Amino acid sequence: MIGNALPGAELVVRTIAETAIENEKYFGDLDAVVGDGDLGYSLARGFEKLLDGWDAIDRSDAGTFLKRAGMILASRIGGTSGPLWGTAFLRAGAAAGTAADLTGAQVVAMVRAAVEGIKARGQSDVGDKTLLDALVPLADRLEREFAAGAGPGDALRAAAVTTREAAEATSGMVAKRGRAAYTGERSRGSVDAGATAVAVIVERISETWQRQGATS
Amino acid sequence: MKKFVNDPKNYVAEMLEGVALANPGRLRYVPEYNLIMRTDAPREDKVSIVQGSGSGHEPAHVMAVGRGMLDAACPGDVFAAPPMDYVYETAKLLASPKGVLLLVNNYTGDRMAFDMGREMAEADGVTAEILTINDDVAVQDSTYTVGRRGVAGNFFVIKAVGAASEQGADMAEVLRIGRKVNDVTRTMGVALTACTPPAKGSPLFELGGDEIEFGVGIHGEPGRERRKIKDADAILDDMLEAVAGDLPYESGDRVALMINGLGGTPISELYILYRHAHRRLADRGITVGRSYVNEYCTSLDMAGASLTLVRLDDEIDGLLGAPAEVAARVF
């Protein structure tokens, strides 16, 4: 048991939103290397909208809360990122369902569901140099940590390291999806902006969790 | 380019308001979501049939709402897919115990908006399915698509699934029929001129005085090639060759034949094309069972036409012949 589902979901979503807004310029600069440079702006505007309506989001249960957040993000993040991030939250919410408490295995199932949603929506897979190249290693590491009996704090700390390594490793890849794909070989040598954004976000979630935990 | 527009920003909204005012008691306009819906929709005993795409293709799809056709149409701005939340809200408003069928012309933007809107509606407990229409034989992949585009053939899919749902068919049956009709429908268009989006005020592309765009898309996007203009029968021969050879339609087949105007061509010219198509099909041993000569799916004010064939069997023929009523009418 890693704690109460709804407070945990709220903490994670709020942390993602604040991180995306604070890193608007950084994410945008990363995306401008070979992409179209709109990632930072798009994510920041979408997550601002989410925080604007924060108190009004339906909190019947963690699943509903995540699904509502996904709908807001899908509609308010511009470009292709909206449907991708929105789908991730929608699928994670569907996987969480009405559970009041979540086990480590359930959290892993939520991340896996988000990954499958992004794959389907973006018609992409691991190795295409997208945020999936950070998310899948994240899910794998979380799964290993929870299976070995780690608590959420330790599992997150380990997963943050793995996610950062995976994001750095995208610099050796050629982009096969998104605007960066148009640059072919020239996309090699720079990290993927989406994967790096995931790494920064997971690091922040881990830090926040060590400070607060979710069982408040 | 002279047009009857006020503020181009309000082009779609003012058109939709006009459609609703002209059809009191039959159609309802929901301005928040660009939505035109039947006043008696949704019905508990019927799968709701919804189509959306960019505006600028009228009478598709807002004027195809009515008994035996669409229950609702949810257009975007001119040549732009509707926002996903419009799709989502539309699916919720049209929710029925028998489900909502979303008809989507195969364009990347439309598919993304409808996939996402459907997923959001499903998260709210609405049963919704998507059927993709891709009848255009001109090009395999285009500026806006992976795979073939959806063009004037969408009329036949709407007509068939509209009739089936009106007769009480369930979702699986309606989907089966829609896919079946899409599978035997092929279309090809030719442009004589470009079209002029109201917000742009100038033509989307340039065609020389003696040029045609063979295989043009309904947004004016390129087709197979630029060609020199010939007389009507010779152009029709080329179109028919491309369409008939694709399925292929063969001697002994019965077909529905549609000559669709792209918005800026007089109906008289459409009948000149129809005459030759009808005769040429007879030469091939193909019988025309149903004829359609009018504007069904346009590209604003583009001069041009498309030719559509549907291979008929008793089931499709019966559904195409079932009674229907839409806003675009002449009596």
Side-chain angles (χ1 to χ4, degrees):
Chain A
M1 194 62 64
I2 66 162
N4 225 293
L6 184 61
E10 288 189 66
L11 178 75
V12 167
V13 174
R14 186 160 196 107
T15 307
I16 294 173
E18 288 168 354
T19 312
I21 292 164
E22 284 165 33
N23 285 278
E24 176 178 349
K25 185 173 179 333
Y26 174 53
F27 293 165
D29 290 347
L30 284 172
D31 188 36
V33 179
V34 287
D36 52 10
D38 72 336
L39 180 74
Y41 179 89
S42 298
L43 289 184
R45 297 294 82 75
F47 280 106
E48 274 169 1
K49 279 270 186 287
L50 183 77
L51 292 186
D52 285 347
W54 183 255
D55 293 332
I57 302 173
D58 185 338
R59 286 169 167 71
S60 310
D61 49 59
T64 304
F65 175 77
L66 287 167
K67 285 196 278 194
R68 288 287 152 210
M71 290 186 196
I72 295 168
L73 295 174
S75 313
R76 299 291 167 255
I77 298 178
T80 48
S81 295
L84 292 172
W85 288 66
T87 300
F89 281 75
L90 271 166
R91 298 284 173 100
T98 55
D101 292 293
L102 292 173
T103 61
Q106 281 172 300
V107 171
V108 172
M110 287 161 66
V111 180
R112 295 260 184 237
V115 163
E116 289 312 310
I118 292 170
K119 282 185 186 178
R121 182 75 60 228
Q123 297 290 295
S124 57
D125 210 332
V126 173
D128 288 344
K129 191 164 181 164
T130 68
L131 75 168
L132 288 169
D133 292 304
L135 276 176
V136 172
L138 160 70
D140 292 345
R141 185 66 191 265
L142 279 178
E143 187 164 30
R144 279 205 309 278
E145 295 295 323
F146 284 130
D154 290 340
L156 271 171
R157 194 178 292 120
V161 173
T162 294
T163 309
R164 170 61 69 177
E165 286 167 358
E168 296 295 335
T170 61
S171 120
M173 296 179 181
V174 172
K176 299 205 181 63
R177 282 289 175 275
R179 295 281 159 95
Y182 302 150
T183 63
E185 271 301 323
R186 277 185 299 139
S187 61
R188 212 188 284 278
S190 55
V191 293
D192 178 65
T196 306
V198 170
V200 173
I201 285 168
V202 175
E203 284 166 353
R204 180 72 71 84
I205 291 171
S206 173
E207 287 161 24
T208 313
W209 198 284
Q210 316 304 336
R211 281 203 311 274
Q212 300 179 338
T215 38
S216 42
Chain B
M1 177 57 71
K2 288 178 281 195
K3 285 183 173 294
F4 292 114
V5 291
N6 300 307
D7 182 340
K9 263 204 322 290
N10 303 327
Y11 186 84
V12 172
E14 290 176 359
M15 164 185 72
L16 298 179
E17 204 173 332
V19 169
L21 286 169
N23 293 272
R26 279 193 296 267
L27 299 182
R28 178 178 151 217
Y29 170 42
V30 184
E32 292 82 357
Y33 317 123
N34 270 7
L35 174 65
I36 292 280
M37 62 190 284
R38 286 168 63 177
T39 46
D40 60 350
R43 293 201 338 239
E44 294 234 325
D45 59 344
K46 181 184 181 305
V47 173
S48 293
I49 311 292
V50 177
Q51 172 127 30
S53 73
S55 291
H57 306 302
E58 295 69 30
H61 306 285
V62 291
M63 296 156 204
V65 178
R67 190 172 57 92
M69 290 283 282
L70 295 175
D71 292 289
C74 150
D77 220 325
V78 173
F79 294 169
M84 66 189 77
D85 25 344
Y86 287 18
V87 177
Y88 159 68
E89 299 289 355
T90 295
K92 283 206 301 185
L93 277 170
L94 274 292
S96 146
K98 296 185 87 165
V100 182
L101 176 62
L102 303 165
L103 300 176
V104 183
N105 286 341
N106 186 36
Y107 296 96
T108 310
D110 293 270
R111 293 191 61 171
M112 182 70 98
F114 276 83
D115 284 347
M116 203 63 232
R118 189 198 71 82
E119 179 150 342
M120 284 157 55
E122 201 164 57
D124 276 359
V126 176
T127 307
E129 297 285 349
I130 287 181
L131 178 68
T132 308
I133 298 162
N134 59 345
D135 56 306
D136 183 12
V137 307
V139 286
Q140 182 52 41
D141 297 310
S142 77
T143 324
Y144 303 112
T145 63
V146 176
R148 291 178 156 185
R149 302 173 294 205
V151 288
N154 68 60
F155 167 84
F156 294 101
V157 176
I158 295 170
K159 182 70 191 69
V161 301
S165 67
E166 208 72 60
Q167 293 162 12
D170 64 12
M171 179 64 87
E173 180 71 352
V174 169
L175 269 172
R176 179 189 66 78
I177 287 165
R179 290 190 183 119
K180 177 179 168 180
V181 173
N182 183 60
D183 284 347
V184 295
T185 302
R186 297 289 188 277
T187 302
M188 165 87 115
V190 169
L192 309 182
T193 68
C195 55
T196 301
K200 191 168 184 285
S202 58
L204 267 183
F205 58 101
E206 286 301 334
L207 268 177
D210 60 344
E211 288 183 318
I212 62 173
E213 181 70 35
F214 188 72
V216 72
I218 50 173
H219 310 88
E221 68 270 32
R224 288 193 184 181
E225 60 179 350
R226 288 279 161 95
R227 293 185 179 176
K228 290 285 179 243
I229 190 158
K230 309 182 217 178
D231 65 26
D233 288 357
I235 294 175
L236 191 283
D237 281 335
D238 292 344
M239 291 165 81
L240 186 60
E241 192 60 45
V243 174
D246 192 88
L247 186 59
Y249 300 84
E250 292 166 317
S251 180
D253 282 350
R254 285 180 73 246
V255 297
L257 165 61
M258 173 187 280
I259 300 292
N260 163 64
L262 293 179
T265 285
I267 292 185
S268 48
E269 293 177 29
L270 301 181
Y271 276 98
I272 289 171
L273 294 171
Y274 179 86
R275 163 187 170 269
H276 193 62
H278 193 107
R279 295 191 317 175
R280 275 287 183 261
L281 286 167
D283 294 344
R284 291 169 175 250
I286 298 170
T287 313
V288 177
R290 293 188 173 275
S291 306
Y292 302 81
V293 189
N294 210 316
E295 288 179 349
Y296 292 89
C297 184
T298 61
S299 184
L300 293 169
D301 53 355
M302 180 185 287
S306 64
L307 180 152
T308 302
L309 294 177
V310 186
R311 188 161 62 206
L312 298 173
D313 63 6
D314 289 348
E315 180 179 52
I316 295 176
D317 192 48
L319 293 165
L320 294 184
E325 182 185 275
V326 293
R329 64 186 182 281
V330 292
F331 46 81

